[in-house]
Tab-separated table of all heavy atoms in Angstrom:
chain	number	residue	atom	x	y	z
A	1096	ALA	N	101.460	81.429	31.577
A	1096	ALA	CA	100.306	81.418	30.674
A	1096	ALA	C	100.443	82.538	29.649
A	1096	ALA	O	100.741	83.683	30.003
A	1096	ALA	CB	99.019	81.582	31.473
A	1097	ARG	N	100.235	82.186	28.382
A	1097	ARG	CA	100.346	83.146	27.281
A	1097	ARG	C	99.109	83.080	26.388
A	1097	ARG	O	98.296	82.177	26.509
A	1097	ARG	CB	101.585	82.844	26.442
A	1097	ARG	CG	102.884	83.008	27.190
A	1097	ARG	CD	104.093	82.782	26.268
A	1097	ARG	NE	105.336	82.860	27.008
A	1097	ARG	CZ	105.939	83.974	27.375
A	1097	ARG	NH1	105.421	85.134	27.071
A	1097	ARG	NH2	107.065	83.948	28.061
A	1098	ASN	N	99.041	84.022	25.471
A	1098	ASN	CA	97.958	84.108	24.486
A	1098	ASN	C	96.618	84.252	25.196
A	1098	ASN	O	96.461	85.153	26.005
A	1098	ASN	CB	97.983	82.922	23.534
A	1098	ASN	CG	99.348	82.696	22.896
A	1098	ASN	OD1	99.913	81.628	23.046
A	1098	ASN	ND2	99.896	83.690	22.212
A	1099	SER	N	95.676	83.356	24.942
A	1099	SER	CA	94.353	83.434	25.576
A	1099	SER	C	94.097	82.238	26.471
A	1099	SER	O	92.961	81.808	26.644
A	1099	SER	CB	93.277	83.524	24.493
A	1099	SER	OG	93.400	84.723	23.766
A	1116	GLN	N	101.477	85.687	33.758
A	1116	GLN	CA	100.488	85.687	32.672
A	1116	GLN	C	100.818	86.809	31.698
A	1116	GLN	O	101.235	87.892	32.103
A	1116	GLN	CB	99.063	85.801	33.212
A	1116	GLN	CG	98.728	87.116	33.877
A	1116	GLN	CD	97.334	87.131	34.492
A	1116	GLN	OE1	96.737	86.104	34.770
A	1116	GLN	NE2	96.807	88.325	34.715
A	1117	TYR	N	100.655	86.508	30.416
A	1117	TYR	CA	100.978	87.454	29.344
A	1117	TYR	C	99.823	87.509	28.356
A	1117	TYR	O	98.968	86.629	28.321
A	1117	TYR	CB	102.261	87.012	28.620
A	1117	TYR	CG	103.454	86.887	29.537
A	1117	TYR	CD1	103.816	85.663	30.083
A	1117	TYR	CD2	104.206	88.011	29.880
A	1117	TYR	CE1	104.910	85.548	30.927
A	1117	TYR	CE2	105.300	87.902	30.730
A	1117	TYR	CZ	105.643	86.666	31.249
A	1117	TYR	OH	106.721	86.578	32.092
A	1118	ASP	N	99.853	88.538	27.527
A	1118	ASP	CA	98.837	88.711	26.483
A	1118	ASP	C	97.458	88.782	27.131
A	1118	ASP	O	97.270	89.540	28.061
A	1118	ASP	CB	98.919	87.586	25.440
A	1118	ASP	CG	100.342	87.346	24.939
A	1118	ASP	OD1	101.024	88.342	24.623
A	1118	ASP	OD2	100.776	86.179	24.891
A	1119	ASN	N	96.520	87.963	26.678
A	1119	ASN	CA	95.168	87.922	27.252
A	1119	ASN	C	94.977	86.727	28.180
A	1119	ASN	O	93.854	86.386	28.541
A	1119	ASN	CB	94.119	87.877	26.137
A	1119	ASN	CG	94.068	89.183	25.370
A	1119	ASN	OD1	94.139	90.257	25.966
A	1119	ASN	ND2	93.966	89.093	24.051
A	1120	ALA	N	96.033	86.066	28.542
A	1120	ALA	CA	95.943	84.888	29.406
A	1120	ALA	C	95.485	85.289	30.811
A	1120	ALA	O	95.709	86.413	31.252
A	1120	ALA	CB	97.289	84.189	29.471
A	1121	LYS	N	94.869	84.338	31.508
A	1121	LYS	CA	94.421	84.549	32.888
A	1121	LYS	C	94.866	83.379	33.747
A	1121	LYS	O	94.700	82.222	33.375
A	1121	LYS	CB	92.893	84.652	32.965
A	1121	LYS	CG	92.319	85.848	32.245
A	1121	LYS	CD	92.592	87.115	33.019
A	1121	LYS	CE	91.978	88.293	32.300
A	1121	LYS	NZ	92.822	89.455	32.287
Side-chain angles (χ1 to χ4, degrees):
R1097 296 184 184 281
N1098 308 122
S1099 295
Q1116 67 185 21
Y1117 302 96
D1118 312 314
N1119 291 319
K1121 295 286 182 222

